[in-house]
Amino acid sequence: DLVVKRHMDAEAGGTERSAAREGRQGRGEAEFTTAGSKRARGDDQVGEAVGWGATQHISTLIFDIDDTLYDVGNGFTGHRNGAAVASFMVGKLLFKSEDAALKVRDEYFAKYHSTVKALTVAEAEGKLPAGAHFEAQDLADWWATKLDFARFLSPDPVLIEALSASRLQLVAFTNAPRKYALRVLDALGLRRFFVDSHIFAVDDVMPTCKPEPAAFAKVLSAIDAEAAACVMIEDSMKNIRAAKALGMRTLLVAGLGVGDAAAGEATKPGDLPQADDPAVDAVVRSCSELSTALPGLWEEPAVFRTA
């Protein structure tokens, strides 16, 4: 029941400039072969791509963290974006109730897809209680010390094996605070795959954040990669569309659809996964399916092709 979809190139047969660099951290390059056409198939089958066109080298996989490297239905997102952030806003930002706090947080999160930017802008627009001041580091400390990482997060041996075998440059890019993001990577057993200089949090790109083009530009500049050489791996449609508009290839992590998926998605208003969106190049249910769904990325020479 894996669904993989390929996006039709705007100009079939057109050429794309290769931006791959050699020797990045001992990792190699992958080759992305674009599909000129596709056949739609049911959810119980893998979409079959036909009409292969131009070839584009891929040097880099950019992973979102939350709801991408773990499943949205495991309860952690509801834990973080629900009671945890509400208690922070009551305790630190002087809201009188958790309901009032979440109403403001959700309103601005729908616009910016980042709690840090949401609360930053909410303060600038006078939506915080009188006397309250938001500091991003306070939220980072709150989440890093008060969230129950061990209850919800654990290493995925299949994903760990896949990343261990990858020769591509691996990057993490999240709209969450850095201190919190590092705790998540540690809990998932994935920290070792991302060197510190290739872990980007909202702290590194503010006052912008995903899906703003300037946020992506900062990351691409820092890792010395062009958009066409990257695959963005995301659960957020806003970020998928932004990455695609910049010229990246996109892989949507749609979720397993089990557990508390509905509760988790409810904390991210206006951003449900849409597998049939034209900005989506391919879809998996979870990152543990990466090497199975796209085995070509683990070949030498590597190609972006479906199983």
Side-chain angles (χ1 to χ4, degrees), residues 20 22 44 123 130 133 155 189 262:
E22 295 182 356
D44 292 334
E123 179 179 9
H133 173 60

Side-chain angles (χ1 to χ4, degrees), residues 178-209:
R178 186 178 189 86
K179 186 174 182 179
Y180 156 84
L182 295 179
R183 285 293 313 273
V184 173
L185 291 175
D186 284 334
L188 295 173
L190 300 177
R191 175 79 176 273
R192 60 192 170 102
F193 298 111
F194 303 94
V195 297
D196 285 349
S197 62
H198 284 59
I199 300 173
F200 298 90
V202 71
D203 322 39
D204 302 306
V205 296
M206 280 289 280
T208 63
C209 68

Side-chain angles (χ1 to χ4, degrees), residues 78-101:
H79 170 56
R80 179 186 71 254
N81 288 343
V85 75
S87 62
F88 167 79
M89 294 174 71
V90 170
K92 292 288 188 177
L93 300 182
L94 310 180
F95 279 86
K96 293 183 177 180
S97 71
E98 292 190 355
D99 287 343

